[in-house]
């Protein structure tokens, strides 16, 4: 009897300990969800934001960022301790940062990495040693920073920082408190007046490939845009860039001279001295090769400072433009490039007979690179394939210029949906960017459907492009079917027709399709393989990954 009571008491203690753990987890979840909800309240209506951007002085915005930073309890001088690597560019800057961070982490260096946008959870934007910060750390530091800013707003006309600026300040706090050795900082938009440019003394800067984007903020010409990107140059701080268009290179050279910044152009990746076949990249696609070269130069420059800080700052006469040397990468550098992962960029997921090709390309040049990558990957596969495009684009982007390169891929179906993961979603979701009305998003999707049809008709009248060698004919003999869905989940359900075991196992609710749309799906139901290219927006890619990769949601 005594033995029985003892065992019962032990089990009771264990039970109550388990219940306390559950309560702790629930409390943490609520605090984290409250933090995300409060953060989302800092987002602006998209139309209001556009008006503010058009009438605001960009230099005043940067000064305001410094003021918010100070209100949060930090000074720009303290940011010198981040030993930052600062990277701007139109395309490839995120991949460059991912390569760079992974190389340095392979040396055992404690890394911080700030990027945007996030795909599924906002914590992805702030990483320690390659991993998004935990919910515990996010919650802890979020409320520290938010409450400090909230407590000081009465003396500053009740103002609070906007969404991206708040996250930038939060990242600085996290990196300093968690004592990272290096902070790899990806610029948000532009460079000169981006809020990340409050960093006054990075250890090295990088400029990835440049092109036309965000014209309402940065200017209509490549020269204006380049001047904005080059705004991260600092006196005496080494900077590296990839080969750029002639007009961009001239502006970069001019800005480097004006700021007394030593600027170097990265060599082709083939010029680095490595044994044949030993240099493999974790990110696929030819366009990643220039990003990898830039990452090698950034990490090598940073390591030289780390190992010999007194020799880091170059002499004044070295300022200007030069060619960076093609050195022999160390084994750790080679490993860092090979092991790099960066979801949503040239990413492939295979779920049974369904293969997803995910790339958040959202400029004309990046879409051309996406198409090349998709075609390269499709050459590898054989068999009867139905090809589907899932597309959306946001903001002021020229959707016709994004869709035009995709016509040559000869899709059987072109599907359009807004960046809404599902029509019935939790209240506390890590929604992205600025708020836009659902009606506006659906109107854009219908507009993209019409653009695709017009581009397809024009292609047919002109005879179309040549199919790639070895490419299989379309299963659908007529021109591409087009459909619009109200959310990502309903689009995925219709496209995969129950063939994706991961998606099918979730049992989530989605709106049923019309009978006419169901009739169109016969080729999908009969297909042995379905290839889906998801592109046009990183937010769209993130919404897809939320359903397909549970590790990103947990």
């Amino acid at each position: 009897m005594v033995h029985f009571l003892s065992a019962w008491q032990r089990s009771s203690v264990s039970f109550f300990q388990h219940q306390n753990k559950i309560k702790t987890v629930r409390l943490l979840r609520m605090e984290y969800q409250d933090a995300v909800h409060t953060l989302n309240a800092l987002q602006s209506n998209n139309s209001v934001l556009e008006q503010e951007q058009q009438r605001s002085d960009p230099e005043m915005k940067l000064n305001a960022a410094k003021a918010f930073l100070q209100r949060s309890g930090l000074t720009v001088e303290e940011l010198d301790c981040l030993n930052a690597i600062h990277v701007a560019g139109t395309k490839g800057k995120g991949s460059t940062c991912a390569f760079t961070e992974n190389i340095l982490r392979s040396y055992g260096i404690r890394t911080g990495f700030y990027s945007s946008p996030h795909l599924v959870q906002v914590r992805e934007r702030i990483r320690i040693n390659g991993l998004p910060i935990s919910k515990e750390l996010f919650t802890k530091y979020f409320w520290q920073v938010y409450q400090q800013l909230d407590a000081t707003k009465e003396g500053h006309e009740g103002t609070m920082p906007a969404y991206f600026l708040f996250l930038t300040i939060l990242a600085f706090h996290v990196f300093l408190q968690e004592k990272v050795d290096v902070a790899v900082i990806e610029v948000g938009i532009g460079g000169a007046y981006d809020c990340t440019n409050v960093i006054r003394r990075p250890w090295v800067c990088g400029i990835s490939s440049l092109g036309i984007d965000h014209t309402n903020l940065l200017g209509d010409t490549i020269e204006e845009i380049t001047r904005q990107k080059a705004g991260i140059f600092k006196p005496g701080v080494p900077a590296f860039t990839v080969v750029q268009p002639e007009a961009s290179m001239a502006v970069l050279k001019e800005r480097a001279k004006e700021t007394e910044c030593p600027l170097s152009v990265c060599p082709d990746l083939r010029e680095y001295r490595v044994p044949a076949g030993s240099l493999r990249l974790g990110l696929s696609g030819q366009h990643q090769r220039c990003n990898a070269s830039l990452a090698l130069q950034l990490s090598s420059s940073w390591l030289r400072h780390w190992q010999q800080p007194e020799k880091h700052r170059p002499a004044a006469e070295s300022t200007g433009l030069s060619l960076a040397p093609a050195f022999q990468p160390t084994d750790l550098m080679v490993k860092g490039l090979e092991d790099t992962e960066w979801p949503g960029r040239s990413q492939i997921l295979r779920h049974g007979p369904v293969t997803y090709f995910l790339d958040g390309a959202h400029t004309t040049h990046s879409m051309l690179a996406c198409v090349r990558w998709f075609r390269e990957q499709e050459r590898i596969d054989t068999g009867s394939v139905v090809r589907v495009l899932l597309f959306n684009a946001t903001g002021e982007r020229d959707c016709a210029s994004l869709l035009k390169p995709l016509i040559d891929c000869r899709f059987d179906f072109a599907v359009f949906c807004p960046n809404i993961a599902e029509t019935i979603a939790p209240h506390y979701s890590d929604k992205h960017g600025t708020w836009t009305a659902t009606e506006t998003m659906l109107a854009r999707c219908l507009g993209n459907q019409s653009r695709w049809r017009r581009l397809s008709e024009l292609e047919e009248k002109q005879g179309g492009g040549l199919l790639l060698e070895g490419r299989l004919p379309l299963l659908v003999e007529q021109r591409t079917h087009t459909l619009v869905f109200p959310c990502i989940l309903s689009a995925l359900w219709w496209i995969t027709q129950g063939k994706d075991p991961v998606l099918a196992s979730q049992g989530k609710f989605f709106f049923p399709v019309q009978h006419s749309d169901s009739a169109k799906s016969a080729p999908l139901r009969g297909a042995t393989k379905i290839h889906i290219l998801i592109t046009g927006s990183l937010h769209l890619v993130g919404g897809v990954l939320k359903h397909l990769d549970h590790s990103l949601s947990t």
Side-chain angles (χ1 to χ4, degrees), residues 144-166:
Q144 285 181 5
V145 173
Y146 187 89
Q147 289 169 1
Q148 179 69 21
L149 288 166
D150 188 60
T152 57
K153 70 180 183 182
E154 294 305 321
H156 297 83
E157 300 179 346
T159 57
M160 290 288 283
Y163 185 88
F164 182 77
L165 174 54
F166 182 92

Side-chain angles (χ1 to χ4, degrees), residues 269-270 272-281 289 334 338:
L269 194 62
R270 292 170 295 185
Y272 290 86
R273 301 189 296 275
V274 293
S278 66
L279 191 57
R280 295 185 297 273
L281 304 182
R289 297 181 66 81
V334 172
E338 184 175 348

Side-chain angles (χ1 to χ4, degrees), residues 169-293:
I169 295 171
L170 178 61
F172 293 154
H173 274 269
V174 171
F175 296 153
L176 288 170
Q177 290 297 316
E178 293 298 310
K179 296 179 171 56
V180 300
D181 297 318
V182 57
V184 180
I185 307 294
E186 178 190 354
V187 167
I189 296 177
Y193 302 117
D194 185 76
C195 60
T196 64
N197 208 29
V198 297
I199 299 173
R200 60 173 197 167
R201 292 292 280 177
W203 277 14
V204 61
C205 295
I207 305 288
S208 65
S209 298
L210 296 174
I212 302 293
D213 196 21
H214 296 294
T215 53
N216 61 326
L217 298 178
L218 306 179
D220 297 323
T221 68
I222 191 64
E223 290 87 353
E224 290 175 311
I225 291 171
T226 302
R227 181 165 284 273
Q228 287 293 320
K229 306 287 184 181
I232 67 170
F233 290 167
K234 304 295 189 301
V237 175
F240 296 88
T241 186
V242 299
V243 174
Q244 305 284 3
E246 186 177 344
S248 291
M249 196 62 79
V251 174
L252 290 175
K253 184 177 180 180
E254 177 188 350
R255 288 293 295 141
K257 185 176 181 180
E258 290 172 357
T259 56
E260 297 183 349
C261 164
L263 176 64
S264 302
V265 181
C266 299
D268 189 280
L269 194 62
R270 292 170 295 185
E271 296 180 27
Y272 290 86
R273 301 189 296 275
V274 293
S278 66
L279 191 57
R280 295 185 297 273
L281 304 182
L283 306 182
S284 60
Q286 287 296 315
H287 57 288
Q288 295 292 357
R289 297 181 66 81
C290 64
N291 299 331
S293 179

Side-chain angles (χ1 to χ4, degrees), residues 1 8 17 23 45-46 49 54 69 71 193 206 286 294 297-298 311-312 363 367 382 410 511 520 528-529:
M1 183 67 178
W8 180 84
Q17 286 176 338
K23 289 179 181 177
N45 177 288
N46 202 53
L49 182 67
Q54 290 170 1
L69 181 73
R71 280 174 53 188
Y193 302 117
Q286 287 296 315
L294 178 55
Q297 296 295 334
L298 292 173
K311 296 182 179 180
H312 171 66
T363 68
M367 187 60 74
T382 57
R410 304 299 173 126
F511 284 113
K520 291 178 184 177
T528 57
K529 295 180 181 179

